Amino acid sequence: MFEPMELEDWCQFWIPIIHPDIPAPTQSDTRRPRGYMAACKTTIAALTQSSESSVENWIYGDRECPHVVKMYLRAIHLLWLMRRQFRFPINFPDC
């Protein structure tokens, strides 16, 4: 629960749920599905109130993603998992 969550792990889990028309990449994929990285960037920017250019820098490694963002993604992940478990809707981005 107190471990930071990497952006890639968060996106791989939640992007196919939030954006059902965009599949998650599989381990055998050499390239990510069309629109996957744009959806990841847009979604994380909306969640963290960061600019899309900052998120893009975190994703592509130009800058290290701040630890607080990774902890925030873990907290969102756990909260949304609980909401799904109890069948509460995930009203993205209003939750």
Side-chain angles (χ1 to χ4, degrees), residues 11-22 80-81 84 90:
C11 286
Q12 183 140 14
F13 188 90
W14 288 106
I15 292 302
I17 295 169
I18 297 168
H19 304 282
D21 55 322
I22 301 173
W80 287 4
L81 284 176
R84 287 185 69 197
I90 297 174

Side-chain angles (χ1 to χ4, degrees), residues 36-90:
Y36 176 80
M37 291 309 294
C40 184
K41 179 176 61 171
T42 305
T43 305
I44 290 178
L47 278 175
T48 62
Q49 297 295 298
S50 300
S51 70
E52 288 189 20
S53 62
S54 291
V55 175
E56 188 171 347
N57 286 332
W58 301 337
I59 291 172
Y60 294 111
D62 294 342
R63 282 195 341 217
E64 178 68 26
C65 178
H67 183 74
V68 69
V69 170
K70 292 179 182 182
M71 293 303 293
Y72 181 70
L73 290 177
R74 174 66 69 190
I76 293 293
H77 176 71
L78 294 173
L79 175 66
W80 287 4
L81 284 176
M82 286 190 308
R83 292 180 82 166
R84 287 185 69 197
Q85 179 71 27
F86 296 108
R87 296 188 177 21
F88 292 121
I90 297 174

